[in-house]
Amino acid sequence: MRSICAMRSLLAAAAAAASAPNVLRASAFPSRPPLLSLPFRRGRALAARNMLGAARSVSAAVQSRAGGGAAVEARAAQSGEIHVIVGPMFAGKTTALLRRVQAEAGNGRSVALIKSDKDNRYGLDSVVTHDGTKMACWALSELSSFHEKLGIEAYNEVDVIGIDEAQFFDDLYDFCCKAADRDGKIVVVAGLDGDYKRKKFGSVLDIVPLADSVTKLTARCELCGHRAFFTLRKTQETKTELIGGADVYMPVCRQHYMDGQIVIEATRIVLDLDRSTTAAKALK
């Protein structure tokens, strides 16, 4: 009974409050001091702008001394990009690279294509896909030599740089940093992310943290037709860098990669036994 009475009293008080005019007393909201932080924030913003302007001036001076001049400064004002294309052999990495570079050229941009001089399967003057599509390129041992070989003025005019077989370039990371971050270039990189042992191959994976986009392509397993993520080496050669095509490598799915490793290991054991037997007979 008491609880009912108490509830009625509360309802009555609420109704009275609702019917009364809404008057906000000044004492209910303590007065605040003037905003002292606004001039401080403006001062910090002004200082930041001054520092940014000074940094740009220093950067322009350094670029001018390096021989870049106004062209490099204008290029650096643009935002560079890095796009990475990876996958096993026969996944269409070079095809994707050429399509991207040709599309950029079709949009009016100046393009240049680079490949490692280690890859001489189809000649050194062109990047060639497995189906025969080709495009003229620079064959280099080091990416750092591209700027010098092309010339400062010609380099400054290049908008897009394509790099094929990127796993063979030890200076890939440094080159991509400078080309995109400093020079405002669009860099498109294609290469193997792993070797035949499924271990990191070269510096391709090192530039993933720098990339605007990363595309992982797959091939078709040569043994079952399913998606292939790995490259299986058919020969007994164990060195990491072994240039070859379908005569040396084939794309495989996970199951056939593991089966292939078992077959390769069994073959190696048989060959070792044959060599041991032959050597023993020769000693007799």
Side-chain angles (χ1 to χ4, degrees):
M1 188 67 180
R2 291 179 180 177
S3 61
I4 294 175
C5 293
M7 184 174 293
R8 286 177 178 173
S9 300
L10 289 173
L11 290 173
S19 61
N22 291 327
V23 178
L24 300 180
R25 297 181 180 178
S27 59
F29 298 91
S31 60
R32 294 182 179 179
L35 290 177
L36 300 177
S37 59
L38 185 58
F40 176 67
R41 289 177 180 175
R42 287 177 178 172
R44 288 181 62 184
L46 181 61
R49 284 197 294 269
N50 292 337
M51 291 177 64
L52 180 59
R56 285 175 175 170
S57 300
V58 172
S59 177
V62 171
Q63 290 166 356
S64 178
R65 291 180 182 179
V72 173
E73 184 178 356
R75 180 77 62 191
Q78 303 176 10
S79 177
E81 301 174 14
I82 299 175
H83 302 279
V84 182
I85 304 168
V86 296
M89 291 192 65
F90 308 104
K93 299 182 299 299
T94 301
T95 299
L97 171 66
L98 293 186
R99 284 176 181 168
R100 175 62 187 267
V101 171
Q102 290 169 350
E104 296 287 357
N107 289 332
R109 292 189 174 93
S110 176
V111 303
L113 200 57
I114 304 172
K115 78 169 186 178
S116 170
D117 59 6
K118 295 178 181 179
D119 184 8
N120 57 5
R121 290 173 294 175
Y122 306 105
L124 289 176
D125 60 345
S126 299
V127 168
V128 185
T129 65
H130 294 295
D131 60 5
T133 303
K134 64 169 59 178
M135 184 173 177
C137 73
W138 292 81
L140 306 174
S141 58
E142 295 180 342
L143 291 169
S144 58
S145 64
F146 177 65
H147 191 282
E148 179 181 352
K149 289 183 179 296
L150 192 62
I152 295 175
E153 293 184 4
Y155 176 82
N156 291 339
E157 294 300 320
V158 172
D159 301 305
V160 182
I161 302 174
I163 305 174
D164 194 34
E165 302 295 349
Q167 69 273 3
F168 294 129
F169 290 110
D170 294 334
D171 57 348
L172 179 66
Y173 184 93
D174 290 340
F175 179 84
C176 289
C177 278
K178 292 176 182 177
D181 297 346
R182 185 192 68 184
D183 303 332
K185 311 292 186 185
I186 297 174
V187 186
V188 187
V189 177
L192 295 167
D193 51 344
D195 61 13
Y196 76 101
K197 295 180 179 179
R198 300 192 301 183
K199 300 291 182 64
K200 172 187 167 184
F201 197 170
S203 301
V204 175
L205 293 181
D206 292 341
I207 65 171
V208 168
L210 306 176
D212 295 69
S213 70
V214 179
T215 303
K216 171 80 171 183
L217 299 178
T218 59
R220 184 179 295 276
C221 179
E222 196 171 297
L223 299 175
C224 68
H226 292 163
R227 294 174 68 188
F229 302 92
F230 313 112
T231 302
L232 183 68
R233 181 178 288 180
K234 300 177 181 179
T235 70
Q236 297 298 313
E237 181 60 59
T238 58
K239 66 179 181 179
T240 300
E241 292 187 6
L242 179 63
I243 307 297
D247 57 328
V248 181
Y249 300 102
M250 66 177 176
V252 290
C253 64
R254 185 178 301 274
Q255 181 61 49
H256 284 114
Y257 178 86
M258 299 307 299
D259 292 345
Q261 295 303 310
I262 294 172
V263 171
I264 290 172
E265 181 62 19
T267 303
R268 185 189 65 78
I269 293 173
V270 170
L271 291 175
D272 288 346
L273 289 174
D274 288 343
R275 293 192 191 99
S276 299
T277 302
T278 302
K281 289 180 179 179
L283 291 175
K284 292 180 180 179

